[in-house]
Amino acid sequence: MDAVVYKGERDVAVEAVEEPQIQHPNDVVIDITTTCICGSDLHMYEGRTAAEPGIVFGHENMGIVEEVGEAVSSLEVGDRVVAPFNVACGFCENCENGYTGFCTNVNPGFAGGAYGYVAMGPYQGGQAEKLRIPYADFNALKLPDGREHEDSFALLADIFPTGWHGTELANLESGDSVAIYGAGPVGLMAAYSAKLKGAAEIYVVDRVPSRLALAEEHCDATPINFEESDPVEQIKEIHGGGVDKGVDAVGYQAIDPDKEADSAYDPARENPAVVINNLIRTVRPTGELGIPGLYVPDDPGAPDEMAAQGRLGIDFGLLFEKGQALGTGQCNVKEYNRKLRDMIIEGRADPSWVVSHRVGLEDAPEMYEKFDNREEGVTKVLLEP
């Protein structure tokens, strides 16, 4: 079968790989109908992880069940499903407590597993024609038959629940004001989640005009371009003080507007602590911060030695002085995906507006390049094998 294979820094290719097989009675194999390119994939694509050439990318996957292991009881051939990016067993202590992003059984020596991602276990990615889903009764979420809501349902694998998770980490409530740093797919979904939850004021910080325009149009957010001036001061000038809650949807490759470089996304402009520190300044005393933005313990392309070890220069003294609380960690998709699926079915949510491209699998190398360059109009790319 064809799959998107990592070849090296900024180099992927569509190549023939072995088709997945049932390896355990709890497995199913699905025919992929939609798989997505994620901002997290760019960390590997850019050579900013320990990913080795040969890995098949793709942790946002949905499709039709083609083959069912003999122990699977809730799924049948022909069922339409979406898989959380988390691979989880369902019965370890963390899974039983809802922390499926930190399963202790699926990836020995590490809390958490995922499809097609470095250090996240031996699970081949789904930017391919087929995918094996382990512990399928637990991991596969059934969807209505047909093609309705295909784009929206595909987002249940990661970015819609992860955006929602960012607001949960910050304990966002109806009537709160919130600042969301990052208008990539997860940041836009965090802003959309804040709108669905009834936030009174939403501020979205980024530098890409088309993404800020989406936040304004679909999330009723106030766009803040950090290249124009200090985003903290921009928000405080409009709001009149610190906001109630904040979300970091950027992560460790954050751009520092005060740094000069040859291009907008030159690593020389990076400051992995800038967003967290801006959030500390943006959020009011006793406010709360949600940090789903990806951070890593090792970064081969970091701007300095400390950052290469995942150590950040965070203004902890100011955080302490302001009595702020923060929550971190990747999303436990299963905590939210059933609820969000039902909201889509009932017409109370439609995140498909974030999708900018639906293309064939063969177009993946071109779309990786465009997404990596943060080209205008490229927000969420869906691949159709």
Side-chain angles (χ1 to χ4, degrees):
M1 68 172 184
D2 286 339
V4 177
V5 179
Y6 177 59
K7 308 297 289 182
E9 184 175 331
R10 288 185 166 84
D11 185 10
V12 296
V14 177
E15 296 182 346
V17 302
E18 288 189 18
E19 292 190 3
Q21 306 291 327
I22 297 289
Q23 298 180 20
H24 187 277
N26 289 327
D27 292 348
V28 301
V29 173
I30 66 171
D31 274 320
I32 295 288
T33 56
T34 299
T35 180
C36 316
I37 298 177
C38 180
S40 297
D41 292 325
L42 295 184
H43 299 306
M44 294 186 292
Y45 176 74
E46 294 171 356
R48 297 294 291 272
T49 71
E52 296 287 341
I55 185 173
V56 175
F57 284 171
H59 58 269
E60 303 181 26
N61 310 301
M62 67 179 292
I64 307 298
V65 175
E66 178 189 70
E67 188 176 357
V68 179
E70 60 183 18
V72 175
S73 61
S74 64
L75 298 170
E76 299 178 350
V77 171
D79 283 343
R80 183 189 188 200
V81 300
V82 61
F85 77 86
N86 317 117
V87 178
C89 71
F91 53 82
C92 70
E93 183 176 3
N94 280 348
C95 283
E96 286 185 343
N97 289 327
Y99 299 113
T100 55
F102 303 89
C103 176
T104 56
N105 280 332
V106 296
N107 190 9
F110 193 93
Y115 303 97
Y117 211 87
V118 60
M120 297 300 282
Y123 306 103
Q124 183 168 282
Q127 289 176 12
E129 295 180 88
K130 300 178 189 294
L131 176 75
R132 178 179 74 95
I133 301 178
Y135 301 103
D137 283 315
F138 185 69
N139 287 313
L141 179 68
K142 289 179 69 172
L143 303 168
D145 293 338
R147 293 281 296 186
E148 189 176 13
H149 306 305
E150 182 81 7
D151 288 2
S152 288
F153 286 150
L155 305 182
L156 291 173
D158 185 351
I159 67 164
F160 193 13
T162 296
W164 192 276
H165 182 60
T167 65
E168 288 287 305
L169 288 171
N171 288 320
L172 180 74
E173 297 179 350
S174 178
D176 281 344
S177 55
V178 60
I180 296 161
Y181 279 74
V186 169
L188 289 171
M189 289 295 95
Y192 187 53
S193 298
K195 176 184 176 180
L196 292 172
K197 289 183 172 188
E201 297 175 70
I202 304 168
Y203 300 89
V204 174
V205 181
D206 205 286
R207 64 173 298 279
V208 181
S210 59
R211 294 181 174 187
L212 289 171
L214 285 173
E216 185 174 22
E217 177 182 357
H218 294 281
C219 309
D220 300 329
T222 300
I224 304 292
N225 191 324
F226 68 76
E227 296 280 24
E228 294 178 356
S229 64
D230 184 345
V232 179
E233 296 305 320
Q234 289 188 62
I235 293 171
K236 287 185 174 180
E237 183 176 348
I238 299 168
H239 181 69
V243 297
D244 299 312
K245 307 292 169 62
V247 176
D248 171 4
V250 179
Y252 73 107
Q253 288 186 254
I255 295 297
D256 190 333
D258 293 332
K259 289 189 173 184
E260 299 292 335
D262 294 334
S263 65
Y265 290 99
D266 190 316
R269 294 194 77 199
E270 289 183 12
N271 175 354
V274 68
V275 167
I276 295 177
N277 287 335
N278 278 343
L279 276 176
I280 293 170
R281 295 169 55 214
T282 304
V283 174
R284 64 171 173 80
T286 73
E288 296 176 82
L289 285 57
I291 307 176
L294 180 63
Y295 290 87
V296 294
D298 299 289
D299 176 10
D304 57 63
E305 185 175 347
M306 190 171 82
Q309 302 171 41
R311 299 166 59 213
L312 311 183
I314 295 173
D315 296 331
F316 193 82
L318 183 58
L319 176 84
F320 180 88
E321 182 181 86
K322 297 179 77 171
Q324 294 170 335
L326 58 83
T328 68
Q330 70 174 359
C331 178
N332 308 298
V333 173
K334 279 184 62 68
E335 186 173 359
Y336 316 113
N337 66 351
R338 189 177 300 272
K339 171 182 178 177
L340 297 179
R341 175 202 64 184
D342 293 346
M343 289 174 66
I344 292 169
I345 292 171
E346 294 162 9
R348 295 193 292 119
D350 180 6
S352 64
W353 55 266
V354 78
V355 175
S356 59
H357 294 74
R358 173 179 278 277
V359 299
L361 192 69
E362 68 276 7
D363 296 318
E366 177 187 359
M367 297 314 302
Y368 262 96
E369 182 177 1
K370 290 178 179 292
F371 191 36
D372 185 46
N373 290 333
R374 280 74 169 178
E375 290 189 13
E376 282 288 345
V378 180
T379 49
K380 189 62 177 177
V381 177
L382 275 51
L383 303 173
E384 188 172 333

